[in-house]
Amino acid sequence: MKLGTLIGSGPGDGPVVTGFAIDHRKVAPGTIFGAFQGARFNGEDYINDAIDSGAIAIVSRPDARVEGVPRIADEEPRRAFAQLAAKFFAPFPETCAAVTGTNGKTSTVELTRQLWRMTGHHAASIGTLGVTTADDQVKTGLTTPDIVTFLSNAAGLKREGVTHLAFEASSHGLSQYRTEGLPVTAAAFTNLSRDHLDYHGTMEAYLAAKIRLFSEVVNGDGTAVVWADDPASAEVLATVGERGLRTLSVGAHGDAIRLVDRTPTQLGQTLEVEAEGKTHTIALPLIGAYQANNALVATGLVWATGGDLEATLDGLARVQPVRGRLERAVITKAGAPVYVDYAHTPDALEAAIDALRWHAKGRLITLFGAGGDRDTGKRPLMGAVASRLSDSVIVTDDNPRSEDPAKIRAAILAGADDAIEVAGRREAIAAAIESAKAEDIVLLAGKGHEQGQEIGDRILPFDDVDVARECAA
């Protein structure tokens, strides 16, 4: 594709575009370079380096200095860059669904992928777990990858025959225009609770970032699937109504799929829901109220994208657990099950503990920490939640990153002064497993599916599931 064709200056004009880059070190001859101002680096400082490496055009703010190649100026250069990149990488899967919310994004997109596949579609998902298809899973390292990676992955899936794609739309990704360009036919909202205030500053700004999915990203003739039982859903629904999108509200207060009753069972739960004037009973093989929420939102997305409602509800009985989401890692020699969950916010931690409480005839032992270089205000709140709802709490390290791990633990312990402090995560997991008796349950929270621990500038191999199995052996 010629540059003129891409930017609309004239068909066939200019040099051939070979790719897009937002890192000047990845620029090759024919690349369009996005020069963005970021929290740690200013891409405008590397414009000349990009041109020297062969960049044929620069996307930047109007007052950025560009000499020698065309400048594509925009007050929102990230958005302009995404729109151009989408034209270059297209086509994409015909049916795309996006999910936003503080908790539940990963489970919802994965369950949506599974339900699509059950009805014969070639489906995939992109998110925290990476790029997942029926045959493979490739890590990307971020919930919402950079826009070049995101669009190239989506286009690659299309070339592989994928027709249905579900992806996570994080607040960071939405505010940085990393989810633009795809034909999003359905968008879902799961919930809102405290997280990422180190980036957004306020809960209002955090919610506003998520609402962009409905006000700007989803197609004008698309559908919004909204979990109606969350307090923030009212604002989401107001935005959806202003835009005139079709709406499917889900939950106990939902109009489209109403959750009438939920009964925990030994290995899952039984749901009673009402939809289209009928009552449906579902044997969901997943533990926890929040997993029921995610499953019903996923059902809404499949329904919104042309799926048969009754067949989709029936399919919920056959879904598989999502990696690192109340995943049973091992049963100890004493007979205590050990569960691993990604919960790293106060609300998510409460949901995970509540999910397991019904199954614990003895004590519920909760182990967790908090990530460094992230929202510090949630640390004592998480400590308070764990202390209030668990019988025994062990506070340990999560991903301390550049922070002093001891200070992170101290901040958590300020809200949970009855907790035990064990610095090393492996040692803490060993202590939790050793203390667990036959009717107890152990919850290892915070890292979920992650296979590394970020300490300083290093990522050391660490998987809670693997470590739990080693400690229980």
Side-chain angles (χ1 to χ4, degrees):
M1 182 182 293
K2 293 291 187 73
L3 179 61
T5 302
L6 191 64
I7 65 177
S9 62
D13 292 346
V16 174
V17 178
T18 61
F20 282 72
I22 59 174
D23 183 337
H24 71 284
R25 295 167 297 184
K26 297 182 179 180
V27 171
T31 300
I32 294 178
F33 177 63
F36 311 139
Q37 292 181 318
R40 291 188 295 171
F41 301 103
N42 183 358
E44 294 174 2
D45 294 339
Y46 302 97
I47 289 174
N48 290 335
D49 291 330
I51 294 172
D52 290 343
S53 296
I56 56 171
I58 306 296
V59 181
S60 69
R61 296 180 304 121
D63 54 355
R65 186 172 180 177
V66 178
E67 296 178 348
V69 299
R71 178 181 66 185
I72 302 163
D74 197 284
E75 292 294 342
E76 290 286 1
R78 290 179 185 272
R79 178 168 54 193
F81 182 86
Q83 291 168 346
L84 290 173
K87 291 180 183 179
F88 175 80
F89 285 108
F92 305 109
E94 293 86 348
T95 301
C96 296
V99 180
T100 196
T102 302
N103 303 309
K105 296 186 296 297
T106 300
S107 293
T108 302
V109 300
E110 170 56 16
L111 293 172
T112 301
R113 184 194 71 79
Q114 290 186 32
L115 291 169
W116 273 333
R117 183 169 179 261
M118 287 178 196
T119 56
H121 296 300
H122 193 173
S125 64
I126 298 177
T128 305
L129 298 180
V131 180
T132 305
T133 65
D135 304 314
D136 197 13
Q137 187 174 88
V138 179
K139 305 295 182 185
T140 61
L142 291 170
T143 298
T144 307
D146 69 83
I147 186 65
V148 177
T149 301
F150 176 67
L151 292 175
S152 62
N153 282 340
L157 290 169
K158 166 67 176 177
R159 291 192 295 272
E160 292 173 8
V162 169
T163 60
H164 288 61
L165 172 64
F167 67 90
E168 297 181 51
S170 68
S171 59
H172 288 74
L174 286 162
S175 67
Q176 295 172 7
Y177 301 96
R178 289 192 262 134
T179 58
E180 316 294 302
L182 297 185
V184 180
T185 52
F189 171 78
T190 59
N191 52 63
L192 186 83
S193 62
R194 178 172 180 146
D195 203 10
H196 304 305
L197 295 194
D198 54 306
Y199 178 83
H200 296 287
T202 66
M203 288 297 294
E204 291 75 18
Y206 180 37
L207 177 57
K210 293 190 175 296
I211 284 180
R212 265 205 73 241
L213 177 61
F214 305 94
S215 62
E216 299 179 33
V217 177
V218 67
N219 294 350
D221 59 353
T223 301
V225 179
V226 179
W227 181 256
D229 297 346
D230 189 88
S233 66
E235 193 164 342
V236 176
L237 288 168
T239 299
V240 168
E242 289 169 5
R243 194 157 176 228
L245 300 174
R246 177 191 177 209
T247 306
L248 296 177
S249 62
V250 181
H253 297 94
D255 293 328
I257 302 176
R258 188 168 75 88
L259 177 60
V260 177
D261 192 30
R262 186 183 73 85
T263 305
T265 61
Q266 188 63 37
L267 297 175
Q269 53 198 304
T270 300
L271 309 181
E272 184 179 323
V273 302
E274 290 181 354
E276 291 195 317
K278 293 183 180 180
T279 299
H280 305 263
T281 301
I282 302 156
L284 184 69
L286 305 175
I287 288 175
Y290 81 86
Q291 291 287 44
N293 305 353
N294 298 335
L296 293 180
V297 171
T299 299
L301 285 173
V302 174
W303 189 16
T305 52
D308 179 80
L309 176 60
E310 194 150 347
T312 305
L313 289 170
D314 288 344
L316 290 178
R318 303 191 301 278
V319 295
Q320 298 297 311
V322 180
R323 179 77 165 91
R325 273 67 181 171
L326 286 180
E327 177 183 1
R328 192 172 71 187
V330 69
I331 296 177
T332 70
K333 290 178 179 178
V338 180
Y339 287 87
V340 170
D341 194 82
Y342 191 51
H344 58 277
T345 67
D347 275 17
L349 188 59
E350 181 170 353
I353 295 171
D354 280 344
L356 295 175
R357 169 55 66 189
W358 185 88
H359 298 272
K361 295 180 181 178
R363 296 177 305 153
L364 181 56
I365 303 166
T366 299
L367 176 150
F368 74 104
D373 304 331
R374 299 293 187 268
D375 180 8
T376 59
K378 69 180 182 181
R379 294 170 185 174
L381 301 178
M382 292 175 68
V385 165
S387 181
R388 175 169 53 88
L389 299 176
S390 308
D391 299 300
S392 177
V393 178
I394 298 176
V395 174
T396 187
D397 295 337
D398 190 286
N399 294 313
R401 301 186 177 92
S402 70
E403 286 194 63
D404 180 352
K407 291 183 178 179
I408 298 174
R409 297 194 302 272
I412 298 170
L413 290 165
D417 54 12
D418 59 342
I420 300 168
E421 180 180 9
V422 180
R425 193 170 182 94
R426 178 179 290 272
E427 290 74 19
I429 291 173
I433 287 174
E434 185 177 355
S435 71
K437 295 181 169 48
E439 296 188 334
D440 296 344
I441 286 180
V442 178
L443 169 62
L444 310 180
K447 289 179 59 58
H449 63 282
E450 293 178 357
Q451 295 178 314
Q453 186 174 28
E454 299 178 51
I455 302 175
D457 59 359
R458 297 181 299 165
I459 300 179
L460 305 178
F462 199 100
D463 185 320
D464 276 2
V465 171
D466 290 343
V467 173
R469 289 171 179 169
E470 291 167 7
C471 292

